[in-house]
Amino acid sequence: MKNSNPPKPKDAFPKRPFEDQVNDDQRKYSRYVCDSRAIPHEIDGLKPVQRRILWAMWNSDARNRYTKTVKVAGLAMGYHPHGDRSIQDALSQMAQDFTFANNIPLVSGEGTFGDVLDPSAIASPRYTEVKLSDFAKDLGFFESLPDIDYVKNYDETEDEPIHFVGKVPIVLLNNIQGIATGFRCFIPAHRLADIVKSQVNYLKTKKPLPLKPWYRDFGGEVRMAETEAGNITMATSFAFKWEGDILYLTDSPMNWNREKVVSLIDDIIERKDSWLKDYVDYSSQTFRIELQYKKGEKPTQKEIMALFNKEDVQTLAMNVITYDGKLKNFKPEEIIKRFCDFRKTHLIRRFKRLSGLEEEKIERNSELIRFIKEKWNEKVIGIKSKKDFEDKLKASKFKYFEWLSTIPVYRMTIDEVRKCEEAIVEAKTALSRYQGLVKEDKKLTDFMITELDELQTKWDKV
């Protein structure tokens, strides 16, 4: 049988070096991993799997009620096509509530989600339960869903948000780490009160206050430095506490679990060249290790820190996906600026929509008053069909003729007119407020500052 599709001559194929093709594919894959898995968004501070988890929780019982972690992961799979294990791991990490995990978790957990002694000691998702944290709701992610943009999920059956818009840049609040192909991300955690103060100062003076990393319940030192190459590093150290003449180790550097700390102490004791004689480990969820010193050799603070001079050093890589889809590296202060400016545009969009709703409310109630006063309930008697009724209303310049044609008779009263007039007054007041927020930058700025103050007062009162 003759081949109807003979092979193409070599000249018909594009002439491109193999090396260029591989490099191009590598770049595309690298960017895919950054966008789809490893790098957070600058506006909501979430990686795609985290955003899809919150979205699935908001649209299920897990919005308000503790639900099995494995069930929530199953719901999130409708948006995240990368397997249930990755979702379960991300969900468990979002619920962790201890030093170096989350300053304020977006997910509330019931069960074992690890602790600072062993962050990996997480129970099976069959035995843990999660729900949206109250902070995630107060943050404002879900208060203005009609005003954010959506895309279709991977099988184009449902919509999912491109990103949420909260009141503060979560990308700075909780510790974020990620590894992509050719890129990495390490954004240290910061205190909510410091983030809010920086935002407020920027809104008032156009100058954000500088931010320093901060970890809840961490008593050790957090020290920043710049390398010769220009990279910024963050070092965390051990911390100790005296209770009378008894010395306790109370904090370890980042990434130092109990096993690693105890191993270090054992090595020190085995060398027999220091003041440390023995130890007793009373740790439970947090570090509390009694360090017993040799008789007559009570150590000074300098001697303690010299013996426990180990630190964890992380190089900052504040890579984020911007709201216009680019991969950028920003300093914390630049993130504050960009976030506040974006939130302003988001709020303007929101208040324009709300203004439109109030205008519609005024128009509907005004037409209903006219409808009642012109006694259309009596005129309907001689009309043959609902369509004829709608046509007559339309001819009489009623804008909402379809709605008016369904108004029940019992609402055709003077009392209904009074209710409509009251609703119009309320709608005009709200409309005036929304229009003021859209047109006057000072009013919008004051609104943002007020909501930030309320958030800080509730969640991180200084």
Side-chain angles (χ1 to χ4, degrees), residues 21-231:
Q21 181 66 46
V22 171
N23 289 338
D24 186 51
D25 290 345
Q26 179 75 359
R27 280 194 296 269
K28 289 179 180 178
Y29 178 72
S30 173
R31 186 55 198 270
Y32 164 76
V33 174
C34 290
D35 290 348
S36 301
R37 299 193 187 186
I39 308 298
H41 198 282
E42 67 169 328
I43 301 302
D44 61 12
L46 302 174
K47 300 176 185 178
V49 64
Q50 296 171 321
R51 186 178 307 111
R52 288 161 178 165
I53 285 170
L54 294 183
W55 184 238
M57 295 177 80
W58 177 258
N59 291 299
S60 70
D61 291 343
R63 180 190 300 190
N64 299 309
R65 191 176 70 186
Y66 282 108
T67 305
K68 287 289 185 183
T69 303
V70 68
K71 179 179 178 181
V72 174
L75 295 172
M77 282 189 69
Y79 305 99
H80 193 69
H82 298 292
D84 59 340
R85 183 57 185 269
S86 64
I87 299 173
Q88 291 167 6
D89 290 346
L91 184 49
S92 296
Q93 290 169 8
M94 292 172 74
Q96 289 183 323
D97 188 16
F98 52 84
T99 304
F100 297 129
N102 297 293
N103 281 340
I104 309 179
L106 299 180
V107 173
S108 176
E110 283 281 339
T112 302
F113 289 93
D115 54 36
V116 71
L117 303 176
D118 187 0
S120 64
I122 302 172
S124 168
R126 300 191 304 274
Y127 305 121
T128 58
E129 296 182 336
V130 291
K131 72 172 184 176
L132 275 179
S133 71
D134 291 337
F135 176 71
K137 297 172 186 176
D138 292 343
L139 186 60
F141 274 178
F142 308 102
E143 69 180 14
S144 189
L145 293 176
D147 306 305
I148 61 176
D149 296 320
Y150 297 82
V151 293
K152 288 293 182 183
N153 66 337
Y154 66 92
D155 61 359
E156 298 189 349
T157 57
E158 297 185 56
D159 293 331
E160 61 173 302
I162 295 176
H163 60 78
F164 296 112
V165 183
K167 298 171 185 176
V168 298
I170 294 298
V171 73
L172 297 176
L173 180 66
N174 294 325
N175 206 59
I176 301 175
Q177 299 185 54
I179 298 176
T181 306
F183 292 90
R184 61 181 288 270
C185 170
F186 178 81
I187 303 176
H190 300 79
R191 185 167 188 173
L192 176 63
D194 294 340
I195 295 172
V196 168
K197 287 177 184 176
S198 185
Q199 285 182 261
V200 170
N201 203 70
Y202 174 71
L203 290 169
K204 289 180 177 179
T205 68
K206 293 299 179 183
K207 294 180 180 179
L209 297 176
L211 293 173
K212 181 182 178 181
W214 179 88
Y215 293 90
R216 180 168 54 84
D217 299 331
F218 180 59
E221 182 184 6
V222 179
R223 190 178 69 259
M224 308 300 291
E226 185 173 352
T227 66
E228 293 182 358
N231 296 319

Side-chain angles (χ1 to χ4, degrees), residues 184-188 213 224 231-234 314-318 329 332:
R184 61 181 288 270
C185 170
F186 178 81
I187 303 176
M224 308 300 291
N231 296 319
I232 305 298
T233 62
M234 181 190 78
Q314 297 286 339
T315 301
L316 271 60
M318 302 191 67
N329 184 289

Side-chain angles (χ1 to χ4, degrees), residues 18 232 350:
F18 179 73
I232 305 298
R350 171 184 170 187

Side-chain angles (χ1 to χ4, degrees), residues 167-420:
K167 298 171 185 176
V168 298
I170 294 298
V171 73
L172 297 176
L173 180 66
N174 294 325
N175 206 59
I176 301 175
Q177 299 185 54
I179 298 176
T181 306
F183 292 90
R184 61 181 288 270
C185 170
F186 178 81
I187 303 176
H190 300 79
R191 185 167 188 173
L192 176 63
D194 294 340
I195 295 172
V196 168
K197 287 177 184 176
S198 185
Q199 285 182 261
V200 170
N201 203 70
Y202 174 71
L203 290 169
K204 289 180 177 179
T205 68
K206 293 299 179 183
K207 294 180 180 179
L209 297 176
L211 293 173
K212 181 182 178 181
W214 179 88
Y215 293 90
R216 180 168 54 84
D217 299 331
F218 180 59
E221 182 184 6
V222 179
R223 190 178 69 259
M224 308 300 291
E226 185 173 352
T227 66
E228 293 182 358
N231 296 319
I232 305 298
T233 62
M234 181 190 78
T236 50
S237 64
F238 285 97
F240 306 86
K241 181 182 179 182
W242 286 97
E243 293 184 8
D245 289 330
I246 302 176
L247 176 64
Y248 290 98
L249 184 153
T250 57
D251 292 277
S252 70
M254 180 183 289
N255 297 321
W256 279 65
N257 60 17
R258 175 159 57 181
E259 182 181 355
K260 191 173 181 180
V261 171
V262 168
S263 177
L264 172 66
I265 297 174
D266 286 336
D267 289 343
I268 292 173
I269 293 174
E270 188 176 339
R271 293 200 307 264
K272 298 181 180 181
D273 59 356
S274 68
W275 52 264
L276 185 60
K277 180 180 68 174
D278 203 354
Y279 70 94
V280 181
D281 189 357
Y282 298 105
S283 301
S284 175
Q285 294 186 317
T286 59
F287 281 102
R288 184 175 173 81
I289 302 176
E290 179 187 346
L291 301 177
Q292 299 175 347
Y293 49 89
K294 296 173 182 176
K295 188 175 181 179
E297 295 187 28
K298 183 177 180 179
T300 63
Q301 182 66 21
K302 185 177 181 180
E303 289 172 331
I304 296 170
M305 298 310 297
L307 187 60
F308 290 87
N309 60 359
K310 300 291 185 180
E311 295 181 328
D312 178 84
V313 180
Q314 297 286 339
T315 301
L316 271 60
M318 302 191 67
N319 293 310
V320 294
I321 303 298
T322 65
Y323 56 78
D324 51 355
K326 298 177 181 178
L327 178 61
K328 294 285 187 179
N329 184 289
F330 294 123
K331 293 181 178 179
E333 295 74 27
E334 185 66 22
I335 289 176
I336 292 287
K337 289 180 184 179
R338 291 174 59 85
F339 178 86
C340 289
D341 292 344
F342 184 88
R343 178 149 179 85
K344 272 194 175 183
T345 61
H346 169 75
L347 287 174
I348 289 172
R349 175 178 174 179
R350 171 184 170 187
F351 292 133
K352 282 182 176 179
R353 177 181 62 83
L354 293 176
S355 294
L357 293 177
E358 296 303 327
E359 288 174 344
E360 180 180 333
K361 191 182 295 182
I362 292 169
E363 290 176 348
R364 282 181 180 271
N365 281 281
S366 298
E367 288 203 348
L368 182 54
I369 291 173
R370 178 189 159 198
F371 184 79
I372 294 172
K373 288 185 175 180
E374 292 181 2
K375 299 181 179 180
W376 278 86
N377 60 317
E378 296 178 4
K379 298 178 182 180
V380 75
I381 297 172
I383 298 175
K384 295 180 180 179
S385 66
K386 183 174 180 291
K387 185 179 183 309
D388 289 342
F389 189 26
E390 291 176 355
D391 290 342
K392 286 188 178 294
L393 290 171
K394 187 176 181 180
S396 299
K397 307 299 182 183
F398 282 102
K399 182 178 180 180
Y400 300 99
F401 57 88
E402 292 179 340
W403 170 66
L404 289 170
S405 68
T406 64
I407 296 294
V409 175
Y410 66 81
R411 291 186 62 184
M412 309 290 286
T413 62
I414 297 300
D415 186 54
E416 186 70 23
V417 171
R418 179 185 58 78
K419 290 179 182 178
C420 290

